[in-house]
Amino acid sequence: MPAAERLPAPGVNTTGEREELLAKGELTVVGRISGASNAVLLCTVAYGGASTDCVYKPVRGERPLWDFPDGSLARREVAAYLVSEATGWGLVPPTVLRDGPYGEGMVQQWIHSDEAAAAGGASGADGLLALVEGGEAEDGWKPVAFADIGEGRTALLVHADDPRLRRLAVLDAVINNGDRKGGHLLAAPDGRLYGIDHGVTFHVEDKLRTLLWGWAGEPLTDEARSVLAGLERQLAAGAPLATRLAELITPAELAAVRARVDRLRHTGVHPQPSGQWPSIPWPPV
């Protein structure tokens, strides 16, 4: 991956302008990002004198999954971005569905994250995830689960009690994210936190798998309750968000999103693992 992001030219500052750049710009493939389960291509995109680096995931490069319809992951990534934008939290980088060199696919703005700041690889006070030998989470950290670290030793997986992570935990509950790994968290140089890789989302069954269980069963924040109330209105039949989502996910999946928002509003707490599905993704990073 490149050491830094090529930011759009001056004047490309709003979300709409970034979406336009991604949707209408000329895509040039730079290389393939190794280690991903599906085809992930690093590209540049240029339009109207502006350019940026981006990720392009063509539908034809998606590996079939037993529990998701073939060729649907790119659309789910775009749907996750739309819901993120509807919350006002901006937790997912600008993402569009468009044609590209290898056919239709998802195109998402590249977010530079220094290795030292990347949530999935950081530890200690400056990180968002850590393994703690000793069995107790310190102040400012939330316990998740015990992990086998070899040689008969275990350590407690913890994440920071960080409002950015807490918002992302709410978003994941809404979109039913089945794959919130540490490597899918990107801490940008400006202090913003982004979540990426949202192809395994919006299933009608409870598929929530995440490393962000630290608030499970705790009351939602006032901010989250307000956001969920607004999201419920935006998901009503005929509302612009609902109309756009209907183009990306199935009617049953859209109904399930509405049901999850309604359940979160009425319980008023962060969800807990169901016990019917592995609660932590593998591998966790």
Side-chain angles (χ1 to χ4, degrees):
M1 294 185 182
E5 176 191 15
R6 190 202 339 267
L7 294 172
V12 183
N13 298 312
T14 68
T15 299
E17 289 170 336
R18 289 171 185 260
E19 288 179 8
E20 183 179 42
L21 171 60
L22 295 172
K24 297 182 178 180
E26 181 179 358
L27 275 178
T28 302
V29 177
V30 176
R32 180 168 182 172
I33 298 176
S34 61
S37 56
N38 300 300
V40 182
L41 304 177
L42 179 63
C43 300
T44 61
V45 59
Y47 177 74
S51 66
T52 192
D53 292 330
C54 61
V55 169
Y56 166 47
K57 298 182 182 180
V59 170
R60 69 172 63 176
E62 295 178 5
R63 181 179 299 177
L65 299 173
W66 69 270
D67 52 348
F68 283 83
D70 291 350
S72 69
L73 305 190
R75 291 174 178 268
R76 295 171 192 276
E77 295 239 33
V78 178
Y81 167 68
L82 294 177
V83 174
S84 168
E85 286 300 289
T87 66
W89 285 333
L91 296 170
V92 179
T95 311
V96 301
L97 187 72
R98 58 162 291 176
D99 193 33
Y102 299 101
E104 183 181 76
M106 178 277 279
V107 176
Q108 184 176 82
Q109 184 180 347
W110 174 269
I111 300 298
H112 168 63
S113 183
D114 293 333
E115 285 189 6
S123 61
D126 295 329
L128 296 175
L129 298 170
L131 287 170
V132 178
E133 293 191 67
E136 291 188 8
E138 298 180 357
D139 289 345
W141 294 87
K142 306 291 286 187
V144 178
F146 284 97
D148 182 356
I149 58 174
E151 299 180 354
R153 296 182 301 144
T154 60
L156 181 64
L157 174 65
V158 299
H159 64 68
D161 189 3
D162 187 299
R164 300 170 301 170
L165 284 181
R166 193 164 189 173
R167 292 173 186 138
L168 196 57
V170 174
L171 175 66
D172 284 343
V174 169
I175 66 175
N176 198 16
N177 191 354
D179 197 30
R180 175 60 71 207
K181 298 176 180 177
H184 297 169
L185 305 174
L186 299 179
D190 63 2
R192 294 186 62 176
L193 180 71
Y194 293 96
I196 60 171
D197 285 353
H198 296 106
V200 188
T201 50
F202 295 101
H203 202 284
V204 295
E205 299 176 4
D206 182 8
K207 298 281 189 178
L208 186 58
R209 293 194 303 175
T210 176
L211 296 182
L212 305 181
W213 287 115
W215 296 283
E218 293 187 13
L220 295 167
T221 64
D222 290 342
E223 177 193 44
R225 286 194 289 269
S226 176
V227 164
L228 289 168
L231 197 54
E232 187 171 61
R233 292 190 295 271
Q234 295 181 74
L235 288 169
L241 174 62
T243 300
R244 294 188 69 184
L245 289 179
E247 300 170 353
L248 300 167
I249 58 178
T250 69
E253 289 165 345
L254 180 53
V257 176
R258 293 183 177 120
R260 287 192 295 271
V261 171
D262 181 72
R263 185 168 60 249
L264 285 167
R265 290 198 65 204
H266 283 86
T267 63
V269 299
H270 287 269
Q272 301 188 66
S274 67
Q276 299 177 346
W277 179 258
S279 62
I280 296 177
W282 186 261
V285 176

